[in-house]
Amino acid sequence: MGQVKKLTGIALSLALAGSLAACGSNNDNGGSTGSASNSGTKAANDTSKATNDTSTSSNDTSNSSDAGIDTSKFETINYVVLGDKPKNGQLEKVMAKVNAILKQKVNAELQFKWVEWADWQTKYNLLLASGEPLDLITIGTDWLDTWGNAQRGAFLPLNDLLEKYAPQTYTEIPKEDWDQSKLGDKIMMIPEDHYTQWVNHGIYYRGDWAKQFGITQPITDFETLGKYFQGIKDNMKGIVPWDVNGTNGTLYTGFETAYTDNIDLPIATGYANVFTAKSYDERYTVDSPIFNDAFIDFAKLMKEWADKGYWREDVLNYKGDTRTELKAGQTGADAHHTQTFKGLRVDMDKAQPGSELQMFAYSDTRGNLISMPITHGGTSIGAHSKDPGRALMVYDLIRQDPELYHLINYGIEGVQYEIKDGIRTRPAGYDDAKDGFYTDFWGGRIDKNEIPSDTDWSGIGDIYAKYDQIKKPFPYGKFVFDKSSVDPEMTAISQVVGEQMPAILFGKAGDPAKAVQALRDKLKAAGYEKVKAEIQKQLDAFKATDQG
């Protein structure tokens, strides 16, 4: 019992250090995921998107016997993924086909180990701290506290394993990307560096309603968004303008991006990232949006929105599914990132014809957009894996083999999808409740094995192009903050942010100026200045190395 209490205490502390931004997913739980990173961008490598390239055919995939590896003992490999496990039976049907191929090729089977969305931060960190023999683990340095978990010994160094057990992936990933996957001189993860995506956060709104309210140009700032919400209040009886889930931290990301020059450091402090760089030009100088006077003005605006009823009175306790409400025409907004938007636009065109769903990306206000790290997604091997070599062999196959890749990502052709003129579409009679399938495999997607889908909005390329024109390179690929000397303070700061910030962002903390000052005072009491000084010290050292 004592050990259980100890592990639970560890997990609660670690969870506070994890950020609240999950990737978009097939089973994304409405607006309940917050946002920790300032913005995202496409993968570092300029590989062509969705070419359905089958040059790496299943017949070309290296067989274990050819590589001189003993696979005589059958192994079950587990893979930690985030999301709610599908319950309609399709996962099991797909995995039966996957595992038949894996048994033939490497005498192994793959089982997904789901960390479900309810209290996912605590569950994920507890799992990694438990000492359980985990094989493949989904990681993300900007939302899953991967560097912190690596420093705590959760992952196995891969230097001596990759070339032998995952040769195609090892060769494919360039040295500079491997360098960004290291803790010291040890490779701790395989980056998802060959997959094009943007996770630039913002708020979705209905274009048809906006036009009805006299908003004829795309929304690019919070002031105009407020006019849109007021239009709903004035014209749409019984509809909450933004029926947001109270755990959503997206407004802090919005403030940071739209109202400051700050850019995120890869240093997580729970619900909101307290520590940032001052700007891209001053990227080696520590700052904090919370201590910017503009944050008081933003808090006042959010209090004004709350008083006007732009979200429900009990927003901090509301756990509803905002996205489902949006599709049903019961609310006028939702929030997540660009990857979610490209599919949601298609869903809304079907569910609410003529709705013309739009996205106000926070970077639209001032062009404050930093590219996403190549380790936003990726895979590590658990420190206590019973067979890390076989785990890597399985990973290499599901990343590189088109047949396995398509099964893992899309399901069974003829059931979950069919291909028409090179485009992936739903078969006639497809019923999502009965036929839907996903694995939330965010640890090794790759453009060359992607098949374009008719569920992706055709206009997404224009949005990507717009982002590409203003983005700045992610500058912290090789910066890993060592928080060992300030770990208690980091935990305390995360607790303060989690307790105080939601009420400020949703206008439920009383007088905004007093609430922000109280937050600042509590952060200082928790050790803000000490942590800031330690970050600055390490950034100074990084700058000296980074600039040669």
Side-chain angles (χ1 to χ4, degrees), residues 3 6-8 10-11 14 78 80 113 123-135 137 149 152-155 381-386:
Q3 180 69 6
K6 179 179 178 182
L7 288 174
T8 302
I10 291 172
L14 296 181
N78 58 56
V80 177
K113 191 175 185 66
K123 293 175 182 175
Y124 179 83
N125 285 304
L126 175 59
L127 184 61
L128 268 58
S130 69
E132 184 175 336
L134 305 173
D135 298 314
I137 303 171
N149 281 311
R152 289 185 285 268
F155 308 129
I381 301 291
H384 304 285
S385 171
K386 292 181 178 179

Side-chain angles (χ1 to χ4, degrees), residues 10 31 33 35 40-41 57-58 78 80 128 169 172 222 228 254 318 357 365 422 437 442-443 469 473 477 490-491 535:
I10 291 172
T33 52
S35 37
T41 186
S57 69
S58 57
N78 58 56
V80 177
L128 268 58
T169 299
E172 175 181 75
F222 277 89
Y228 170 74
Y318 181 57
L357 191 71
T365 303
F437 163 82
W442 305 327
Q469 290 176 358
M490 292 283 287
T491 298
I535 296 173

Side-chain angles (χ1 to χ4, degrees), residues 419-442:
I419 299 174
K420 295 181 179 179
D421 299 323
I423 303 296
R424 184 164 45 91
T425 187
R426 297 300 190 193
Y430 174 87
D431 179 349
D432 194 59
K434 179 173 65 74
D435 302 316
F437 163 82
Y438 55 84
T439 61
D440 288 350
F441 172 57
W442 305 327

